[in-house]
DNA sequence: CTGTTAGCGCCTTCAC
DNA sequence: GTGAAGGCGCTAACAG
């Protein structure tokens, strides 16, 4: 039986001041006599007053929301980005409002439209591969827009990430430098995951620059997973038994490949090198730490959030923050 | 150059109807002549109108938010719960509003207070171990409250989960039934993770019922992780070299323990049985599928969301939905 | 099926 | 340092 929710007016009456004074105390803005402040705080406590942000948002036409659109919650990658965002927002009054697009551009557009209805002060979205309408909505929203993860493409406002194509290229260089020549690829359904495709293209380009090409490639249906790697590596080996290295779309799949090697008695690195992407904990925890690329996901989220706080208004010029990546030497390649 | 955002009034004017008619079209409520609807839709399109939910929330004193408080984003467990919630909410107009408490009851309370400022129509929180203030806020909010994961404790409204104590007990019974008698435990810092502690207590109780007790136990500092398991298992073995089974606080740690066995040449199950908790994919993907407990996390989230949609008003009586759990036989115990 | 009236709770602007 | 007036954009409740 919650006794009718107290409002600013109730607090003001109890404290014997006007509403605006209470509002100032609540928001910590404007000059307030210490004595008044204490009286108001007392009234707030006494009534258990909770401000109504919907009213505040309407009155000031500025919410404290940051719309966040991530493509997937199926592995730990994007939860880590999200953690970074929360970390970057800690201590600020801003609150993320999350949507998950399942790597679907149309769904991203839908989610964006519904997030915009909350008057967010910024939008963070993973990737730069949007529908035309999404791009227009982002651009016309007038609020800060941060596109995460990949630096290819034409920024709306701010981009935080690195070049996946280059990362793929460098992965290829790494393998070539270590003497691997017959290289296979294990991917997943990247109709939607453009970044995976960019890495793939980078890898192929690196091989081409050395006069090589992929010995074989296989693609799992559906999203990437550890079991996907376990299932697909034998298929790759069936298609090209003589490969000396396998590049996986990401660490999940690569760890699965490692497990297949364990079970099948394949000497990892000696008989078959394995290479992943992301630098997940699990990849570094297996008995032979995975050779892979560290993608600094947490940092990407954190920096995006910090940048928004530091400059809440959209600036006139676009900017790209390169968070870089790092080849993890590992023990598997 | 976003030309001043169009409002309901603008749409109404263009369509030649009243505001409330536009409102009805937007919300799909109330009877509207097909012709009128089309005219209004046309005007909405033409202007690129996006409804202002802050205004709507204020006017109807009912937002479409569901506040969600999860303890951690450090492993895949709670993102899976979150996926379940999104799944259960799909097609509904409701939008989760997420806060992460880092297993801190005071932080949970803070987050709750800030979520309540958005007038959520429901609150979903993981666990039932709250501060007194949190409990009071939940109770007095008057909205639906779903406490997830564990069924112990006194419900505010609805509980969706299972008994972790019983799951721990059954884990113990499982090991005893298979002849293991010298059982060790690898935990983490569960000052905060009450559910881990409940499982531990259940395990100890199962042993006690057979006249046994834990041969040894070790606890990692900080959160659980795969590497934590890799590091802690040798310590457990140092403390009690003759144990025949190790129970881990969860699958992350147990997988780490498995990797230690691989590296140290310990024959899993034959020399040392391993038992986890959660039923994560990674545990089932390793060469010897982990013996563990499936906790139906996705389902828990989905059911919580569906229940809220089915009954948006808090009923007079509390209810507990038991989502059960299941011992996964696996190959490690 | 559509419209009128009257706020929802707070914040901006301008006085004092 | 504090207050008064007005309105943000939308919707409930009633008419018609």
């Amino acid at each position: 039986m919650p006794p009718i929710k107290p409002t600013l007016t109730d607090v003001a009456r109890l404290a014997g001041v006007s509403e605006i004074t209470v509002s100032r105390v609540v928001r910590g803005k404007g000059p307030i006599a210490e004595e008044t402040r204490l009286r108001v705080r007392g009234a707030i406590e006494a009534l258990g007053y909770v401000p109504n942000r919907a009213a505040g948002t309407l009155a000031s036409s500025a919410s404290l929301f940051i719309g966040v659109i991530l493509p997937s919650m199926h592995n730990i990658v994007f939860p880590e980005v999200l953690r970074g965002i929360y970390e970057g927002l800690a201590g600020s009054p801003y609150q993320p409002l999350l949507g998950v697009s399942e790597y679907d551009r149309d769904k991203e557009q839908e989610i964006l439209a519904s997030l915009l209805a909350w008057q967010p002060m910024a939008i963070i979205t993973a990737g730069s591969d949007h529908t035309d309408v999404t791009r227009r909505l982002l651009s016309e929203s007038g609020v800060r827009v941060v596109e995460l993860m990949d630096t290819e493409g034409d920024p709306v406002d701010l981009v935080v990430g690195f070049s996946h194509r280059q990362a793929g290229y460098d992965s290829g260089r790494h393998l070539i430098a270590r003497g691997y020549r017959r290289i296979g690829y294990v991917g997943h359904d990247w109709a939607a995951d453009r970044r995976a495709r960019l890495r793939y293209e980078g890898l192929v380009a690196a091989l081409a620059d050395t006069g090589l090409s992929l010995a074989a490639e296989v693609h799992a249906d559906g999203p990437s997973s550890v079991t996907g790697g376990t299932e697909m590596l034998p298929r790759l080996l069936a298609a090209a038994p003589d490969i000396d290295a396998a590049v996986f779309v990401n660490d999940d799949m690569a760890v699965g490949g490692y497990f297949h090697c364990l079970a099948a008695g394949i000497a990892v690195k000696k008989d078959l090198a394995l290479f992943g992407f992301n630098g997940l904990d699990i990849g570094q925890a297996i008995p032979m730490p995975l050779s892979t690329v560290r993608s600094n996901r947490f940092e990407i989220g954190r920096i995006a959030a910090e940048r928004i706080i530091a400059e809440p208004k959209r600036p006139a010029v676009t900017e790209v923050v390169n968070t870089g990546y790092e080849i993890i030497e590992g023990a598997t390649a």
Side-chain angles (χ1 to χ4, degrees), chain A residues 182-185 214-218 233-246 271-272:
Chain A
R182 296 182 309 284
I183 297 173
Y185 178 81
L214 278 181
E217 60 185 277
V218 293
L233 180 54
R235 297 209 201 161
L236 181 69
L237 291 170
D242 65 336
I243 58 172
D244 54 17
D271 292 349
L272 181 67

Side-chain angles (χ1 to χ4, degrees), chain A residues 66-67 120-124 138 141-146 156-159 307-315 317-319:
Chain A
I66 294 178
M121 56 87 66
I123 295 283
I124 298 177
L138 286 174
S141 72
V143 301
R144 294 235 62 180
V145 173
V146 189
V156 173
D157 171 5
L158 177 63
V159 167
R307 283 305 189 102
I308 289 170
I309 293 176
E311 195 170 357
K313 298 284 165 225
R314 186 191 293 185
V317 293
T318 64
E319 188 188 359

Side-chain angles (χ1 to χ4, degrees), chain A residues 19-236:
Chain A
E19 297 184 23
I20 185 63
T21 301
V22 179
S23 173
R24 288 188 180 119
V25 171
V26 168
R27 285 175 299 148
K29 283 204 176 172
I32 296 285
E34 189 53 26
E35 188 208 351
T36 311
R37 181 201 310 289
L38 291 176
R39 201 141 37 86
V40 171
R41 284 236 183 281
I44 289 174
E45 290 288 319
L47 294 175
Y49 167 69
V50 176
N52 181 331
R53 282 301 317 155
T57 298
L58 181 59
S60 65
S61 56
S63 86
L64 300 174
F65 281 133
I66 294 178
V68 177
I69 306 177
L70 298 178
S72 163
M73 285 280 143
H74 277 84
N75 65 27
I76 197 66
V77 170
F78 291 103
E80 284 184 0
V81 173
L82 188 58
R83 275 207 303 122
I85 292 173
Y86 274 97
E87 169 86 10
L89 256 29
S92 86
Y94 301 115
Q95 161 77 235
L97 193 52
L98 175 68
V100 182
S101 70
E102 303 293 346
Y103 281 109
D104 179 334
R105 296 179 354 144
D106 293 328
K107 198 160 177 193
E108 182 195 31
Q109 177 181 323
E110 248 175 66
I111 292 169
L112 175 60
S114 76
L115 293 184
L116 286 175
W118 293 103
Q119 322 288 105
M121 56 87 66
I123 295 283
I124 298 177
T125 178
S128 44
D129 184 31
H130 314 299
T131 66
D132 290 345
V133 174
T134 297
R135 259 194 84 83
R136 187 167 55 67
L137 286 175
L138 286 174
S139 167
E140 288 183 356
S141 72
V143 301
R144 294 235 62 180
V145 173
V146 189
E147 293 164 288
L148 297 187
M149 311 312 285
D150 188 44
T151 52
E152 309 235 347
D154 182 25
V156 173
D157 171 5
L158 177 63
V159 167
V160 180
F162 60 93
S163 165
H164 280 243
R165 188 190 301 274
Q166 187 66 42
Y169 188 90
D170 285 355
S171 301
R173 297 296 310 160
H174 176 92
L175 293 173
I176 292 164
R178 274 151 194 76
Y180 302 106
R181 290 293 177 275
R182 296 182 309 284
I183 297 173
Y185 178 81
V186 178
H188 67 324
D189 167 26
W190 40 226
D193 186 349
R194 177 160 158 279
R195 290 182 287 279
R197 174 158 227 147
L198 288 169
R199 297 195 295 275
Y200 168 89
E201 290 172 4
L203 170 67
V204 169
L207 296 183
D209 284 358
T210 316
L212 300 172
S213 60
L214 278 181
E217 60 185 277
V218 293
H219 292 263
D221 301 332
S224 70
S225 65
V226 176
T227 42
T230 308
E231 285 162 14
M232 296 313 291
L233 180 54
R235 297 209 201 161
L236 181 69

Side-chain angles (χ1 to χ4, degrees), chain A residues 219-282:
Chain A
H219 292 263
D221 301 332
S224 70
S225 65
V226 176
T227 42
T230 308
E231 285 162 14
M232 296 313 291
L233 180 54
R235 297 209 201 161
L236 181 69
L237 291 170
D242 65 336
I243 58 172
D244 54 17
V247 175
F248 293 79
V249 61
N250 62 25
D251 283 3
D252 293 275
M253 300 283 278
V255 167
Y258 173 78
F259 291 154
H260 171 73
C261 292
L262 278 190
I266 298 169
V268 171
K269 189 168 189 181
K270 185 166 167 299
D271 292 349
L272 181 67
L274 305 177
F275 202 89
F277 176 81
N278 262 334
L280 299 189
D281 287 343
I282 183 70

